[in-house]
């Protein structure tokens, strides 16, 4: 048996697996977008809670946002959607937002509502950018 004949079945399997993986990437982007939208909803809840309720409630709302953010990192941190394949800041973005959320939690514990508000503001921008870049295209 020649080398080409021996390799051919492996090549066919490789090509088939690549073709089967293509729709999954589109689904990954849609799943990523949905996760970012959930984080955005948690962000809005945290901001509303910060404005209207006490430290415990605000801390709980920010912790929910942090858990949502961590779940996005767990799911998409290493296996990023194709739309972010060339983004050099993608990996560090997860750490930076998490560090910011920890800082917000500390300022909430100190009772500084203004500092917590300022700490949360850049997260909204990050979420907006991620949402815009991950909006699934019309088919």
């Amino acid at each position: 048996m020649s080398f080409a004949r021996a390799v051919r079945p492996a090549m066919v399997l490789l090509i088939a697996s690549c073709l089967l993986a293509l729709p999954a990437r589109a689904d990954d982007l849609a799943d990523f977008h949905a996760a970012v939208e959930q984080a955005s909803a948690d962000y809005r809840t945290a901001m509303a809670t910060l404005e209207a309720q006490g430290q415990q409630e605000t801390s709980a709302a920010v912790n929910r946002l942090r858990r949502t953010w961590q779940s996005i990192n767990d799911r998409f941190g290493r296996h990023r959607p194709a739309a972010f394949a060339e983004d050099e800041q993608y990996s560090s973005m997860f750490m930076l937002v998490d560090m910011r959320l920890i800082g917000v939690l500390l300022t909430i514990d100190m009772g500084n509502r203004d500092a917590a508000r300022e700490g949360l503001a850049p997260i909204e921008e990050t979420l907006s950018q991620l949402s815009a870049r991950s909006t699934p295209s019309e088919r």
Side-chain angles (χ1 to χ4, degrees):
M1 180 186 287
S2 72
F3 178 74
R5 281 184 145 181
V7 172
R8 192 171 304 167
M11 292 299 289
V12 169
L13 286 174
L14 178 64
I15 292 169
S17 67
C18 288
L19 291 174
L20 289 173
L22 287 177
R25 290 185 182 198
D27 290 344
D28 282 349
L29 186 60
D31 291 346
F32 181 85
H33 183 76
V36 170
E37 290 302 307
Q38 179 59 54
S40 296
D42 288 349
Y43 171 86
R44 289 187 298 275
T45 299
M47 287 299 285
T49 305
L50 173 67
E51 298 303 331
Q53 298 192 24
Q55 285 177 300
Q56 286 184 321
E57 297 87 0
T58 303
S59 183
V62 172
N63 272 309
R64 275 192 301 278
L65 171 57
R66 186 169 181 230
R67 283 191 301 273
T68 300
W69 183 252
Q70 288 172 334
S71 72
I72 296 171
N73 185 21
D74 291 345
R75 183 159 180 208
F76 299 103
R78 293 179 194 235
H79 305 289
R80 63 179 79 177
F84 299 94
E86 302 300 320
D87 188 338
E88 294 178 10
Q89 305 298 315
Y90 183 83
S91 297
S92 62
M93 169 198 61
F94 286 104
M95 180 186 64
L96 292 172
V97 169
D98 193 50
M99 287 175 45
R100 184 167 291 280
L101 288 168
I102 291 168
V104 167
L105 289 166
L106 291 172
T107 60
I108 291 168
D109 286 346
M110 292 186 294
N112 192 334
R113 200 178 292 262
D114 291 333
R117 191 179 301 110
E118 289 175 21
L120 283 169
I123 295 170
E124 179 182 31
E125 183 179 327
T126 298
L127 291 169
S128 294
Q129 290 172 356
L130 290 175
S131 179
R133 289 181 61 195
S134 66
T135 300
S137 61
E138 297 293 321
R139 292 181 188 189

